[in-house]
Every structure is written in C-alpha cells, then in structure tokens.
Amino acid sequence: MTVYRSLLGATTSRGTICALPPQKRRIGLFDSSRIVGGTDAEDGAWPWQVSVRQDGKHICGGSLINEQWVLSAAHCFIGDASEFSIVMGTNTQSRTGGYIDVPVSKIIKHADFSMILFIVNDIALVKLAQPISFSDTIAAVKPAPANFATVDGETCMISGWGLDVPERLQEAEMLIAPKQECEEKWWWMSYPDHYVCIKADTTHSSASACMGDSGGPLVCPRSGTWTLVGITSFGSNTCTGLNVYTEVSSFASWIQTNMENN
C-alpha cells in the first residue's frame, strides 16, 4: 500500500535539507553540504520525489509530474542530457525496493534562466527516455495551477537527500513566509515575482534548505491532497533561516506548453 504523509498533524522535522548541486558551490549562497538532524521519510512517502543523477551520482532532487516528465531546477543541469538519469521508487540511496533508474532524453531549461544578479526562472523540465508505470512507491504530484495562491504562515513540506547523501530521504515541515522577509534578507538582489519564501517554525524546528537538494519539492495540502508549490532554488550560506523556491504556479503555462510540444 502506498504511504502518503498525512495532511493533518504532519510530524515536525528538526533537520536541515540541503540545496544547490556541487557545481554551484562557487555561488556562495549555500556552503554547508550535509543534512543536519533530518527526519527520515517513511517507505513510500513522497512517491513523486526523484533523485537526479549525473554520471551515476546524486546531485539534485526533482518531482515526477506524469509518466514521462520530471520538474526540477534549471541550475542543476550542466552537461548533456546523456549524462543524467532519474532514480525513483525508493527512499534510500542504496536503491532498495522497487526502484527504477531511467535515462534522460531531453532537458528543457527556461529560456530566461539566469544567475547573474539573482537566480531567476530557475525551472527545468526533464523528459524520461520512456514512460514509466506508477506503483505503490512511484506516483505523480500535481503542479500548482496558475491561479494557485499560498497563504503566509501555512504549513508545507520539503524533502530531499542533500549533498553528503544520507541513506534515507529526509523530510521537513516548513512555513510559507511573507516575500518581504526574503527581500529584506537578500536586499541587494533584484527580486522577480515568481518565487516562494519559506522558513521553519522556530518555536520547535530549525529546518532549512541547503546544498544538494536543489530541484526538490515544496508541497502544500489542498483539498485532501498534496500540490507541488515550489522547486528548491537557494538559501543562505549558513543553511539556516529563510529559503527561496521557484513558484510553480507562475510557470503553469510554460510547463504545459513545453510538455505538449516535446
């Protein structure tokens, strides 16, 4: 039976989930390279979570959104599509259980993706070499539609393995933060509109995104199911406090058009 994290009373995490792949250490936005005190995800939890591999090594996360497409962060993909594969169906890095490792046939990065003054349009579609079949441990998550709106203070979940890859997938409970908080933290940057600002509930958690989980999901509960709201993009060099996620709803049309045309 597929295990989905309950939408009510989700266990609070006290871990740090890392973001930005190793190629991006020079940016200086994330310096820590490991998950600190993360909470292990149950077998079958977050069945859309994938591990993006380059030359066989985990570098990023991603989310399965249908039988042949994965949504991730554009900055994860430096190299040819032939260098990448997608592992899914397991919450362990030793790939126990009914995992599959699928070659990548195409990577579509947003045409206006940039890391010059600010990481903008940090979104990529990854096409699998062949469609996969869903199972108890492999399922798609619905991307947020264009009219989707987050609510400041609502509880959502992030998941990932980080760079110093732990054996088991980690999960953490986070709060949607007012965008103004991220804008004040990184005041020297020119902010786009299409991002989500998140933070831990500091009354009982120190969770944060960090290097190694870029591209991974931020999911929020809506109408009894999880919706893919954000894609891990960047955060502070101490891997604490606020984190910035690409806002999926802002790219709903881009996602649909590129899947239809490719």
Side-chain angles (χ1 to χ4, degrees):
M1 178 181 294
T2 302
V3 178
Y4 292 91
R5 172 62 63 183
S6 171
L7 297 183
L8 299 175
T11 302
T12 299
S13 297
R14 293 177 171 80
T16 298
I17 294 183
C18 298
L20 288 187
Q23 297 96 322
K24 296 301 176 187
R25 291 186 183 182
R26 62 182 180 274
I27 298 171
L29 292 174
F30 280 124
D31 292 331
S32 177
S33 62
R34 64 189 181 90
I35 293 175
V36 179
T39 298
D40 290 350
E42 299 175 5
D43 290 336
W46 321 121
W48 47 81
Q49 171 81 52
V50 306
S51 171
V52 177
R53 306 292 178 103
Q54 186 172 22
D55 297 324
K57 181 180 180 181
H58 171 84
I59 62 161
C60 277
S63 301
L64 185 68
I65 58 173
N66 66 25
E67 292 89 344
Q68 199 165 9
W69 289 96
V70 166
L71 200 58
S72 188
H75 76 254
C76 290
F77 299 96
I78 301 175
D80 297 329
S82 60
E83 300 174 20
F84 295 90
S85 69
I86 303 295
V87 171
M88 65 187 80
T90 179
N91 281 353
T92 63
Q93 282 293 313
S94 59
R95 292 180 279 189
T96 57
Y99 81 93
I100 55 175
D101 191 343
V102 187
V104 169
S105 65
K106 182 179 289 189
I107 298 167
I108 305 171
K109 294 195 282 188
H110 196 284
D112 294 323
F113 165 64
S114 175
M115 299 179 67
I116 297 175
L117 297 178
F118 186 83
I119 304 180
V120 295
N121 302 303
D122 192 11
I123 187 170
L125 275 165
V126 181
K127 188 175 185 179
L128 305 176
Q130 64 273 340
I132 56 89
S133 297
F134 295 144
S135 69
D136 286 348
T137 56
I138 300 173
V141 63
K142 180 183 178 181
N147 62 354
F148 187 95
T150 55
V151 178
D152 291 348
E154 75 171 302
T155 300
C156 300
M157 297 294 293
I158 59 176
S159 55
W161 281 280
L163 181 57
D164 286 352
V165 186
E167 169 62 12
R168 183 166 288 276
L169 182 71
Q170 303 292 290
E171 62 181 33
E173 184 178 282
M174 305 295 287
L175 301 178
I176 300 297
K179 290 186 176 183
Q180 182 182 354
E181 292 188 22
C182 280
E183 292 169 0
E184 290 175 351
K185 182 176 181 64
W186 292 284
W187 55 268
W188 66 92
M189 295 184 179
S190 176
Y191 269 79
D193 293 329
H194 45 263
Y195 73 94
V196 180
C197 184
I198 68 169
K199 63 181 179 181
D201 181 349
T202 55
T203 61
H204 54 258
S205 173
S206 59
S208 173
C210 193
M211 184 172 52
D213 279 324
S214 283
L218 167 69
V219 292
C220 299
R222 286 294 188 280
S223 303
T225 190
W226 293 101
T227 297
L228 180 62
V229 173
I231 302 167
T232 315
S233 188
F234 74 89
S236 72
N237 60 2
T238 59
C239 298
T240 58
L242 300 165
N243 304 126
V244 176
Y245 278 63
T246 301
E247 186 177 57
V248 173
S249 61
S250 294
F251 298 92
S253 177
W254 180 88
I255 293 168
Q256 189 62 37
T257 298
N258 279 281
M259 288 195 299
E260 290 175 354
N261 295 339
N262 290 278

